[in-house]
Amino acid sequence: LYAPRAGLVFKYGLSKDVAFTEDAEILPNVVGDSRVVVNSVSKISTRLSRSLAFGVSFTVNHDSRSAPGKLATDTALALTLDVLL
């Protein structure tokens, strides 16, 4: 895969203690067969204390030419605890 990377990072504070973040990238193949890889992570987190936050994230990974027998799109839902420094 020889691909330029185009990405986007977005963060929005819904309130003083709640934040939404989006991290997305696209990698279109420029050499050989046509292939596009897309990755995205969306997360909302809330501060529990001055040094601890709880979050929920949703990840989507898509490969237009995935390996035989594999799904083209993978997803994951995660619960996180973040230590704030």
Side-chain angles (χ1 to χ4, degrees), residues 1-79:
L1 179 67
Y2 291 99
R5 179 180 179 211
L8 167 75
V9 177
F10 175 77
K11 185 172 184 177
Y12 181 70
L14 300 171
S15 71
K16 182 181 115 181
D17 295 325
V18 179
F20 173 79
T21 58
E22 173 67 32
D23 186 358
E25 68 179 355
I26 184 168
L27 295 103
N29 192 22
V30 294
V31 176
D33 295 335
S34 175
R35 181 179 179 189
V36 177
V37 176
V38 179
N39 300 310
S40 171
V41 178
S42 303
K43 181 177 180 181
I44 189 162
S45 61
T46 184
R47 186 181 296 253
L48 299 175
S49 68
R50 203 161 36 168
S51 61
L52 188 64
F54 172 76
V56 177
S57 67
F58 185 69
T59 303
V60 177
N61 298 328
H62 176 76
D63 187 346
S64 65
R65 294 184 53 98
S66 60
K70 300 292 183 178
L71 295 175
T73 304
D74 292 325
T75 60
L77 181 65
L79 303 176

